[in-house]
Amino acid sequence: ETENRLDDCDFFFTEFSDPLDNETAAFIEIKTTCPGREIPADIYVITYKDPEQRQYLNPPVRSVPNDGFIIICRNRLSFKYKLYV
């Protein structure tokens, strides 16, 4: 069980974006110190607007990518379009 815990993993919010002109392109970027590690629980996002409502990620994130960055975007297609076009 110890190997599945993230007690020794730090998470740093490195970027937030919630553009007024395209709210579907909102995203959060998180840098971790534990690339490749499994995430033992579902990740969810809450906002100050409604802290009681949890928005679970779909599909759920099951492991930290090898580069150590987790990117949570409201709409994956809008996110890709904004970054790569």
Side-chain angles (χ1 to χ4, degrees):
E1 179 180 314
T2 305
E3 63 202 35
N4 287 334
R5 297 178 58 110
L6 294 177
D7 292 343
D8 61 342
C9 183
D10 293 319
F11 294 82
F12 302 95
F13 290 91
T14 54
E15 193 168 350
F16 296 91
S17 176
D18 193 6
L20 292 175
D21 63 337
N22 185 356
E23 74 177 34
T24 64
F27 70 92
I28 302 168
E29 180 185 80
I30 302 167
K31 172 67 174 157
T32 71
T33 59
C34 53
R37 294 278 298 277
E38 293 296 315
I39 298 173
D42 288 339
I43 295 175
Y44 59 87
V45 176
I46 60 172
T47 70
Y48 72 92
K49 295 175 185 175
D50 189 1
E52 298 300 317
Q53 183 165 349
R54 296 177 177 184
Q55 296 292 319
Y56 285 89
L57 303 186
N58 185 14
V61 175
R62 295 292 180 215
S63 63
V64 177
N66 289 333
D67 65 0
F69 284 93
I70 298 172
I71 299 175
I72 303 168
C73 48
R74 184 173 289 160
N75 181 314
R76 184 173 61 180
L77 294 176
S78 291
F79 181 76
K80 284 183 175 182
Y81 179 77
K82 284 289 198 182
L83 286 181
Y84 301 113
V85 170

